[in-house]
Amino acid sequence: MEKFLFRLLLRSPLTKAEQEAILALPGEEVRTQAHRDIVRPGNRMTYSCLVVEGLVGRFDQLANGHRQITALHIVGDFCDLHSLAVPETGWGIESLTDSVVRMVPHTALRKLVDSAPAYTMAFWRDTVVDGSILAKWNAALGRRSAKARLAHLLCEMGIRFEIAELGQRDEFDFPITQAQLADVLGVTAVHLNRTMQALRQDGLLVTNGSRISLPDAKRLRQVAQFDEAYLLLGGAQSR
Amino acid sequence: MEKFLFRLLLRSPLTKAEQEAILALPGEEVRTQAHRDIVRPGNRMTYSCLVVEGLVGRFDQLANGHRQITALHIVGDFCDLHSLAVPETGWGIESLTDSVVRMVPHTALRKLVDSAPAYTMAFWRDTVVDGSILAKWNAALGRRSAKARLAHLLCEMGIRFEIAELGQRDEFDFPITQAQLADVLGVTAVHLNRTMQALRQDGLLVTNGSRISLPDAKRLRQVAQFDEAYLLLGGAQSR
DNA sequence: CGTGACCTTGATGTTAGTCAACGAATGTGG
DNA sequence: CCACATTCGTTGACTAACATCAAGGTCACG
């Protein structure tokens, strides 16, 4: 919860009292294995999920069972804060690794929102940034090659892990299987495997288990046409 | 503005006074030709754009100049209400047809937001639905064929035009060029042209200028795997 | 009657999907 | 300690989807 608050404060000013109210948010913590559906698509939410440990994905499922992961959430992210505004879900949430998720009841969040307007703006801003990532991925999926998309994701996760103080932008732990990564990038697992090999041969990617190193960040950014602005949106807004 | 309010009320309850305040929102109306950039990427917004007439797109631009249109906005849509929460833009807005756009100053919107909490929730909800459409498109771009994507878009626009009372779900005016449509669907204009022909041959699509008819909506939905739930989210929320 | 915007067509190359199989690492129960 | 199953990464052969390049065709408009 501290990490969530920390990142909220990057964009939205909150008084000390407001900050403490957020830290005091209740919620049951649930531990799950990898590859479990935490929220099944088509539910009506009565709580929002905060990632306490592990790596979690929001996904959209097609009739044939294929999944597209539409968002990755790391420690300190709320997966579905927007469900406070709109509780019906088309999407689902799955654990990508062994994870711990805190289910924060909407009743508690709503109490905050009703008590002062700053919370609503802060939460809204958080979901807007989530949406700007979605829009970027839209462009990537529509207009870029698998190689550029993979490079882009690696750049993005590097920045996000660094902001979250979970790693450095060119060296971090990213415990995701190739099949899951393929579901993020909208390719098959086979093709993803070959794409990763291509990046390795270009000297842009080194993997060691789930450890990712990006030896030539500059060139990787060029391949990805990566501009981190969309991740840093909304610095120091007014209330 | 009436159409915007009407659709806002589908999801969010507002008092009579609140409704009138929204109808009284100020803003200069600007008329533009087709194919003009209304907002260039990388700006800091001081207003939000309401579509009064025409068809407008939000886009993401790549370094090579290629565009991915990430959202289509019809009469009564706010293109970028989220810029009230986060004014920095990675995206831009372009007119797809001759259009009229009303630029509503953030100062005026902020005055509303500060005066009562219901506005913030209503606006937030509006942007959440925008985000849910983005997520759907994410899945479509990542996991579906061009034909399925086209079919999906036709179903989606049918519903949206019907809700907006601008047409029926199986018969509506959709004044967009094939090149623009290709930018929405993430394919080349040439391939889009062939994809449209395929749908026509299947008896699923009839075009007459910008007039679209969908003779076999049922089968079209199957091809698209279309489920309209994501467009109808948030009916009758509490304040 | 020329010009520009838009749609259409054909030929060809590239990217990514599909199917099938194998290897390495890990864990499990006998 | 050893068969066995499971998960994950990897490879090869083949096919389908889509991009690219280049050229016409149609229509509205000045």
Side-chain angles (χ1 to χ4, degrees):
Chain A
M1 193 63 84
E2 294 78 20
K3 280 189 187 293
F4 169 67
L5 177 61
F6 174 70
R7 269 174 277 163
L8 211 56
L9 289 173
L10 292 180
R11 304 199 172 89
S12 303
L14 293 172
T15 65
K16 276 266 171 274
E18 286 162 352
Q19 294 179 32
E20 272 161 33
I22 284 181
L23 290 175
L25 277 170
E28 193 184 346
E29 294 198 353
V30 176
R31 182 172 297 269
T32 62
Q33 290 184 296
H35 310 284
R36 290 284 181 281
D37 284 3
I38 299 172
V39 173
R40 245 172 267 274
N43 272 4
R44 167 176 273 267
M45 300 299 290
T46 58
Y47 57 89
S48 290
C49 301
L50 180 78
V51 182
V52 175
E53 219 182 287
L55 187 64
V56 163
R58 207 163 69 225
F59 65 90
D60 209 283
Q61 192 149 16
L62 276 66
N64 58 20
H66 279 190
R67 288 186 171 186
Q68 172 71 36
I69 295 178
T70 57
L72 290 177
H73 292 291
I74 64 178
V75 174
D77 283 345
F78 256 111
C79 305
D80 57 346
L81 200 47
H82 52 266
S83 72
L84 180 62
V86 180
E88 297 95 335
T89 71
W91 38 266
I93 297 177
E94 64 174 313
S95 58
L96 302 178
T97 67
D98 294 353
S99 302
V100 177
V101 167
R102 168 179 277 223
M103 304 187 300
V104 181
H106 282 174
T107 50
L109 290 166
R110 177 157 292 279
K111 212 173 282 178
L112 285 195
V113 161
D114 289 342
S115 71
Y119 296 110
T120 323
M121 283 304 287
F123 292 168
W124 184 10
R125 234 169 243 136
D126 197 67
T127 62
V128 168
V129 174
D130 190 88
S132 81
I133 296 177
L134 272 177
K136 265 286 175 250
W137 274 104
N138 229 306
L141 289 165
R143 288 291 179 213
R144 286 146 123 99
S145 68
K147 193 167 168 179
R149 273 177 277 171
L150 174 56
H152 197 279
L153 184 71
L154 293 172
C155 291
E156 175 182 317
M157 295 315 292
I159 301 287
R160 287 176 61 190
F161 280 122
E162 189 168 287
I163 293 177
E165 300 181 338
L166 296 165
Q168 302 156 260
R169 63 178 66 191
D170 58 350
E171 173 96 26
F172 50 89
D173 199 54
F174 192 30
I176 187 171
T177 68
Q178 291 189 1
Q180 293 165 338
L181 205 45
D183 281 347
V184 176
L185 299 179
V187 294
T188 57
V190 171
H191 192 60
L192 175 75
N193 181 281
R194 292 178 172 136
T195 306
M196 286 183 71
Q197 291 179 40
L199 274 192
R200 284 198 199 98
Q201 281 201 328
D202 293 349
L204 299 176
L205 169 64
V206 176
T207 57
N208 182 3
S210 63
R211 196 84 196 158
I212 301 272
S213 305
L214 309 174
D216 191 343
K218 200 171 194 174
R219 206 146 51 84
L220 188 68
R221 278 164 171 258
Q222 284 171 3
V223 170
Q225 291 186 30
F226 181 77
D227 176 1
E228 69 208 62
Y230 73 105
L231 292 173
L232 309 175
L233 292 175
Q237 297 301 319
S238 69
R239 297 170 57 92
Chain B
M1 192 64 82
E2 294 78 19
K3 280 190 187 294
F4 170 67
L5 177 60
F6 173 71
R7 268 174 277 163
L8 211 55
L9 289 173
L10 291 180
R11 304 201 172 87
S12 304
L14 294 171
T15 65
K16 276 266 170 274
E18 285 162 352
Q19 294 180 31
E20 273 161 31
I22 285 181
L23 289 175
L25 277 170
E28 193 183 347
E29 294 200 353
V30 176
R31 182 172 296 271
T32 61
Q33 291 185 295
H35 309 286
R36 291 284 180 284
D37 284 3
I38 298 172
V39 173
R40 243 172 269 274
N43 272 3
R44 167 175 273 267
M45 300 299 290
T46 58
Y47 56 88
S48 290
C49 300
L50 179 78
V51 181
V52 175
E53 219 182 286
L55 188 65
V56 163
R58 207 163 70 224
F59 65 89
D60 209 282
Q61 193 150 18
L62 276 66
N64 59 19
H66 279 189
R67 287 186 172 185
Q68 172 71 37
I69 295 178
T70 57
L72 290 177
H73 292 292
I74 65 179
V75 174
D77 282 346
F78 256 110
C79 306
D80 57 346
L81 201 47
H82 52 264
S83 71
L84 180 63
V86 181
E88 297 96 336
T89 70
W91 37 266
I93 297 178
E94 64 174 314
S95 58
L96 302 178
T97 66
D98 294 353
S99 301
V100 176
V101 167
R102 169 180 277 224
M103 304 187 300
V104 181
H106 281 175
T107 50
L109 290 167
R110 177 156 291 280
K111 213 173 282 177
L112 286 194
V113 161
D114 289 342
S115 70
Y119 295 111
T120 323
M121 283 304 287
F123 292 168
W124 183 12
R125 235 169 242 136
D126 196 67
T127 62
V128 168
V129 174
D130 189 87
S132 82
I133 296 177
L134 271 177
K136 265 287 175 251
W137 275 104
N138 231 307
L141 288 164
R143 286 292 178 210
R144 286 148 125 100
S145 67
K147 193 167 168 178
R149 272 177 276 170
L150 175 56
H152 198 279
L153 184 70
L154 293 171
C155 291
E156 175 182 317
M157 295 316 292
I159 301 286
R160 287 176 61 190
F161 280 123
E162 189 168 289
I163 293 177
E165 300 182 338
L166 296 165
Q168 301 155 259
R169 64 178 65 191
D170 59 350
E171 172 95 27
F172 52 88
D173 198 55
F174 192 30
I176 188 172
T177 68
Q178 291 190 3
Q180 293 165 339
L181 205 46
D183 281 347
V184 176
L185 299 178
V187 293
T188 57
V190 171
H191 192 61
L192 175 75
N193 182 281
R194 292 179 172 134
T195 307
M196 286 182 70
Q197 292 178 39
L199 274 193
R200 284 199 199 97
Q201 282 201 326
D202 293 349
L204 298 177
L205 169 63
V206 176
T207 57
N208 183 3
S210 64
R211 196 84 197 160
I212 301 272
S213 305
L214 308 174
D216 192 343
K218 199 171 193 174
R219 206 147 50 84
L220 189 67
R221 278 164 171 259
Q222 285 172 2
V223 171
Q225 289 186 33
F226 182 76
D227 175 1
E228 70 209 62
Y230 72 105
L231 292 173
L232 309 175
L233 291 175
Q237 298 301 318
S238 68
R239 298 170 54 94

